[in-house]
């Protein structure tokens, strides 16, 4: 029965395929063949002659009638005048400006800076270094020597040394007094009073905790 049903379906579909699909396929092949033929004809009859015309006639004609004249006009109207202007106007003007204006100004500025530096150095030497050196040599050094020989050695040094020794002895004495009057009593209070009281308080606290909490 299944084979009979399948045979019936094939028998029904096959005429439809033959009547519809095959003509459409043949029509498609015909259209493709015609398109290829038209394309070949267009290429042979129209495009190839146009390419040959452009390559051997229009391209060279455009080059010699447009590109070459425009290039020559650009060269003679722009490049040559700018080159001439740079060679005979701009470069000589810049060279003259550098040689006769900027370079002299730079050299003059350098000379002024060097001269100003020399003047400042001379003023600093004669107004600062020389007076300071004279002050050091003729005032401060003699005063230092006089202070050392007449005041420091015989008076100030012994006085300062005695004060230092007295301060060191007083410091030692004060340290001893501090140890005996403050440090030792504090140690005694801590060792013989505070620590026993602290231990007793802890013991009582443990007893109370044990009694209350079991």
């Amino acid at each position: 029965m299944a084979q009979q049903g399948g045979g019936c379906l094939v028998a029904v579909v096959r005429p439809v395929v033959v009547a519809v699909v095959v003509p459409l396929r043949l029509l498609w092949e015909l259209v493709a063949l015609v398109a290829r033929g038209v394309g070949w004809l267009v290429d042979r009859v129209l495009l190839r002659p146009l390419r040959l015309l452009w390559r051997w006639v229009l391209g060279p004609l455009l080059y010699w009638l447009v590109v070459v004249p425009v290039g020559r006009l650009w060269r003679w109207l722009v490049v040559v005048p700018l080159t001439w202007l740079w060679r005979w106007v701009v470069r000589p003007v810049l060279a003259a400006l550098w040689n006769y204006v900027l370079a002299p100004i730079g050299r003059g500025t350098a000379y002024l800076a060097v001269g100003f530096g020399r003047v400042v150095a001379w003023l600093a030497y004669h107004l600062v270094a020389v007076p300071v050196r004279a002050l050091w040599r003729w005032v401060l050094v003699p005063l230092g020597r006089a202070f050392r020989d007449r005041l420091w050695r015989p008076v100030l040094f012994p006085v300062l040394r005695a004060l230092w020794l007295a301060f060191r002895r007083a410091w030692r004495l004060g340290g001893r007094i501090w140890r005996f009057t403050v440090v030792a009593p504090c140690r005694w209070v801590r060792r013989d009073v505070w620590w026993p009281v602290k231990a007793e308080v802890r013991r009582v606290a443990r007893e109370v905790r044990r009694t209350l909490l079991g």
Side-chain angles (χ1 to χ4, degrees):
M1 293 294 291
Q3 292 179 355
Q4 291 178 359
C8 292
L9 181 62
V10 171
V12 173
V13 171
R14 181 176 296 173
V16 176
V17 171
V18 172
V20 177
V21 177
V22 173
L24 290 177
R25 178 66 179 180
L26 293 176
L27 180 61
W28 173 258
E29 294 293 336
L30 179 62
V31 170
L33 181 61
V34 171
R36 286 196 295 269
V38 172
W40 183 84
L41 289 176
V42 170
D43 180 70
R44 294 294 179 177
V45 176
L46 182 62
L47 297 180
R48 179 170 292 184
L50 288 177
R51 288 197 297 268
L52 293 176
L53 180 65
W54 172 258
R55 181 176 182 181
W56 299 106
V57 178
L58 295 179
L61 187 64
L62 182 64
Y63 176 77
W64 289 106
L65 292 180
V66 178
V67 176
V68 173
V70 170
R72 291 181 178 179
L73 287 176
W74 173 262
R75 182 174 182 274
W76 290 105
L77 294 179
V78 178
V79 176
V80 173
L82 289 178
T83 304
W84 183 88
L85 182 65
W86 168 258
R87 180 179 297 175
W88 300 105
V89 178
V90 176
R91 188 169 65 182
V93 169
L94 291 177
L97 181 65
W98 173 260
N99 292 326
Y100 298 105
V101 179
L102 298 178
I105 290 176
R107 289 193 294 269
T109 304
Y111 291 151
L112 288 176
V114 172
F116 180 75
R118 291 178 179 177
V119 170
V120 171
W122 185 87
L123 291 175
Y125 176 76
H126 288 86
L127 296 180
V128 178
V130 173
V132 169
R133 185 170 61 183
L135 179 65
W136 173 262
R137 182 176 181 181
W138 301 107
V139 178
L140 296 179
V141 172
L143 285 177
R145 290 176 180 175
F147 176 78
R148 182 189 62 186
D149 297 335
R150 297 184 181 182
L151 186 62
W152 174 256
R153 288 181 178 178
V155 179
L156 292 179
F157 181 74
V159 171
L160 293 177
R161 186 171 182 276
L163 290 176
W164 170 249
L165 294 176
F167 173 76
R168 190 169 62 180
R169 293 176 182 175
W171 181 264
R172 292 178 180 176
L173 181 61
R176 293 177 181 177
I177 295 173
W178 174 262
R179 285 195 299 272
F180 284 110
T181 58
V182 177
V183 177
C186 288
R187 288 179 179 176
W188 177 82
V189 169
R190 184 182 60 182
R191 185 179 61 251
D192 296 336
V193 177
W194 169 245
W195 284 355
V197 170
K198 184 178 179 181
E200 186 64 23
V201 170
R202 287 182 178 177
R203 188 185 64 78
V204 171
R206 286 196 299 270
E207 293 294 334
V208 171
R209 190 183 302 113
R210 188 180 299 113
T211 302
L212 295 176
L213 300 178

